Amino acid sequence: GVKPQVPADRQAQVSKIEALLADAGRPWEYVEKMAKRMCKVDALRFCAPNQLSKLIAALSYDARRRAAKKTTA
């Protein structure tokens, strides 16, 4: 997938999501599906800043969980 076009006020949040996806090796489609499920929007570009924050929190939680698995495995 490709990075969605969002207004300038949300660009930093989308860049953070991009970094978390890259770290996890996940495609943009992953967060698009998360947006549909968690925020009830058709695409990431329709998310409000508070909704993007929820997605960042979920991806950060996932990153911590994966890091914990690496250290115990």
Side-chain angles (χ1 to χ4, degrees), residues 1-4 10-28 31 44 52 55-56 59:
V2 295
K3 185 175 180 177
R10 292 179 238 160
Q11 194 61 49
Q13 288 177 301
V14 172
S15 293
K16 176 69 173 173
I17 289 171
E18 182 178 33
L20 289 166
L21 288 174
D23 185 54
R26 299 189 195 278
W28 276 104
V31 80
L44 186 67
L52 291 174
L55 295 172
I56 290 168
L59 289 168

Side-chain angles (χ1 to χ4, degrees), residues 30-57:
Y30 182 81
V31 80
E32 291 283 350
K33 299 280 190 205
M34 284 178 64
K36 280 187 176 190
R37 185 180 181 117
M38 292 174 62
C39 305
K40 310 291 190 259
V41 295
D42 287 334
L44 186 67
R45 69 178 184 265
F46 299 126
C47 286
N50 65 323
Q51 293 172 318
L52 291 174
S53 294
K54 288 180 184 180
L55 295 172
I56 290 168

